Amino acid sequence: MEDTEAMGIYLNPGAKKLQKALNSEIYIDKSGIIGYLNRVVDTEQCFVCVSRPRRFGKSMAANLISAYYDRTVDAKYLFQNMKIASEPGFTRYAGQYDVIKLNMQEFLSNSRDMGEMLALIRKSLLWDLLEAYPDFRYFDQTNLSRTLMDIYRNTQRQVVIIIDEWDCVFREEKNHKQEQEAYLDFLRDLLKDKEYVALTYMTGILPIKKYGTHSALNMFSEFSMLDQGALAEYTGFSEDEVKGLCQRYDMDFVQAKEWYDGYYLEECGDIYSPRSVVQSMLMHKFNNYWNQTETFEALRLYIDMNFDGLRDAILTVMAGGRVEIDSRSFSNDMTTFHSADDVLTLLVHLGYLGYDFPHKEIFIPNKEIMDEFVTATTRSEWGEVLRSIKKSKELLQATLEGNEAAVAGGIAAAHLETSHIQYNDENALSYTISLAYYAARECYQMIRELPTGKGFADVVFVPKARYADKPAIIVELKWNVDADTAIEQIKRNDYPQALQDWGSRAIILVGITYDKKSKEHWCKIENI
């Protein structure tokens, strides 16, 4: 029988969706990911699950991969000017497979329960398969995996299976364990130990669900926001890619970095949030584009959970700090939480936190996400954060005016309102300072422990380029000594000279001390 070149809905869907992306004003070539997939085609590693947050190009990658392997697409022509064209194996695999491409959200949205959803998937795929291959002798035309095996037996052509939004069942059917297990069993029956499978690429927000002994999909290699491994460079936009876009659209790269950078992956360093970068370039404005696809309510739900240490951790990262977490107990769903670490691990997968794999530390990656935390905490049961942020403008103004009493009082109030962060060292005190001076982030880059050659300045506020007329601020923190001692340490260690090397002319020195017995804060301010 001759092969038919007709496209189906789910079988060999063609390249229309990829072409739409290529037609767009901004398209960043991430076709290099196919080079990795070509190396694992028809091997024991041919099952790949990639999880990323919303806005990180998951569906675009799925469309790219689908078009490349689809035998109804002239992939050698379509991809000839892309990066994958220079990779070994480009011509060997291009357009050589039947591709089955599924978006599980579509089936879930059109079903009342899991049984109906799985029946709809089977019926839809069988419809396409039997139309493409009507003349074979089939064992059971209602059995999806047997039908795929019969087609493979007759054609010796394997399939590439691409599943987008694979985890929607675990996000929308959060509390239905039985339905979740039925879904995993369906995927296992479709994929595991099947000769007809050359490659399976699944993508979603969450990694594969852990069910203890129920390890239906244990054959997958996983790449998540905890560790993207060999796929790191295809996860978001690189610094060079964003610099190129800023030059093309005459946008300030420094602001782009402040707003959208910060997701750190060990293999490639910082990456940028793709959708937000694209929107900022097209709109020619730096703004929060995250909240156009998800409201702060999604974040608030999790940070309001009552786990020991969770508030402390959230306040610490909001203050610019980092918190070490243990992600191993996370069950890869949105309901099974045993500790603050589980909640914080979910926030990494959702894109609300960055993750430093070598140090196992979380942090808030950029201004866009910081805005989401501020909104979520100020609209929740976090009244202390709202009060501190509202007062932070007054505290900054008091500092610029040299009002020592007002600054001491402002820091004392911030300490009281952020008492979840226990004062046990100067490092903890610096977190309170960071939150208390939240308003300063509009005009200043805040640096904790700035190296100066003779030590580290505790907290330094360096004016951003567009606010170069403002004075720099050096804050030194001390325990149980007078504030003059803090000022003397600033001078003795030549901290001001380090800032002058940065180009700062006017500098304000701020010494803040805390007396453990009296619980009082003291402040000394000098201008140089």
Side-chain angles (χ1 to χ4, degrees), residues 293-310:
T293 56
E294 188 169 83
T295 70
F296 70 90
E297 296 286 353
L299 174 59
R300 189 175 75 172
L301 172 67
Y302 297 107
I303 65 175
D304 275 348
M305 288 187 171
N306 186 26
F307 287 106
D308 288 344
L310 181 57

Side-chain angles (χ1 to χ4, degrees), residues 240-276:
D240 286 343
E241 288 165 345
V242 176
K243 282 182 179 177
L245 288 172
C246 286
Q247 291 174 357
R248 175 177 164 188
Y249 286 90
D250 192 26
M251 295 284 279
D252 182 2
F253 170 70
V254 173
Q255 289 193 67
K257 187 175 182 66
E258 177 188 351
W259 272 94
Y260 312 120
D261 183 19
Y263 294 95
Y264 182 83
L265 298 177
E266 183 181 10
E267 291 77 8
C268 63
D270 287 355
I271 61 171
Y272 291 67
S273 175
R275 184 184 185 278
S276 296

Side-chain angles (χ1 to χ4, degrees), residues 353-369:
L353 292 171
Y355 184 72
D356 182 342
F357 179 82
H359 300 97
K360 305 296 187 286
E361 292 176 337
I362 56 165
F363 54 91
I364 293 179
N366 53 47
K367 176 174 170 51
E368 185 176 47
I369 300 300

Side-chain angles (χ1 to χ4, degrees), residues 178-403:
Q178 190 172 358
E179 294 203 346
Q180 293 173 8
E181 290 191 358
Y183 174 61
L184 289 177
D185 287 339
F186 164 79
L187 292 176
R188 177 182 58 188
D189 181 60
L190 177 65
L191 304 173
K192 194 169 186 177
D193 298 325
K194 297 300 190 291
E195 293 179 56
Y196 56 74
V197 175
L199 174 72
T200 298
Y201 179 89
M202 294 202 314
T203 188
I205 295 174
L206 296 174
I208 291 173
K209 166 70 179 172
K210 299 175 185 176
Y211 266 129
T213 58
H214 192 89
S215 52
L217 302 180
N218 59 0
M219 68 284 197
F220 274 86
S221 299
E222 295 208 58
F223 303 85
S224 75
M225 292 304 285
L226 294 174
D227 184 8
Q228 285 283 330
L231 304 186
E233 64 180 295
Y234 314 115
T235 303
F237 288 176
S238 70
E239 191 146 291
D240 286 343
E241 288 165 345
V242 176
K243 282 182 179 177
L245 288 172
C246 286
Q247 291 174 357
R248 175 177 164 188
Y249 286 90
D250 192 26
M251 295 284 279
D252 182 2
F253 170 70
V254 173
Q255 289 193 67
K257 187 175 182 66
E258 177 188 351
W259 272 94
Y260 312 120
D261 183 19
Y263 294 95
Y264 182 83
L265 298 177
E266 183 181 10
E267 291 77 8
C268 63
D270 287 355
I271 61 171
Y272 291 67
S273 175
R275 184 184 185 278
S276 296
V277 170
V278 169
Q279 288 296 104
S280 68
M281 298 297 128
L282 296 178
M283 301 297 291
H284 206 72
K285 177 187 291 186
F286 295 111
N287 201 355
N288 187 335
Y289 298 102
W290 185 279
N291 57 24
Q292 293 182 1
T293 56
E294 188 169 83
T295 70
F296 70 90
E297 296 286 353
L299 174 59
R300 189 175 75 172
L301 172 67
Y302 297 107
I303 65 175
D304 275 348
M305 288 187 171
N306 186 26
F307 287 106
D308 288 344
L310 181 57
R311 281 208 168 195
D312 193 350
I314 295 298
L315 285 169
T316 299
V317 296
M318 288 183 68
R322 293 184 172 217
V323 175
E324 184 177 346
I325 65 168
D326 183 349
S327 62
R328 292 174 296 177
S329 65
F330 181 57
S331 297
N332 296 346
D333 64 24
M334 304 181 82
T335 57
T336 310
F337 302 109
H338 303 289
S339 67
D341 283 354
D342 289 345
V343 177
L344 296 168
T345 301
L346 174 62
L347 294 182
V348 172
H349 290 300
L350 295 177
Y352 287 107
L353 292 171
Y355 184 72
D356 182 342
F357 179 82
H359 300 97
K360 305 296 187 286
E361 292 176 337
I362 56 165
F363 54 91
I364 293 179
N366 53 47
K367 176 174 170 51
E368 185 176 47
I369 300 300
M370 183 63 174
D371 285 354
E372 293 298 298
F373 272 91
V374 170
T375 302
T377 53
T378 55
R379 304 285 181 88
S380 187
E381 302 299 321
W382 294 59
E384 68 273 22
V385 175
L386 175 60
R387 288 189 291 272
S388 290
I389 288 173
K390 283 184 174 180
K391 294 176 182 177
S392 63
K393 290 184 179 180
E394 298 174 9
L395 181 63
L396 175 61
Q397 189 60 36
T399 303
L400 295 174
E401 294 173 354
N403 189 335

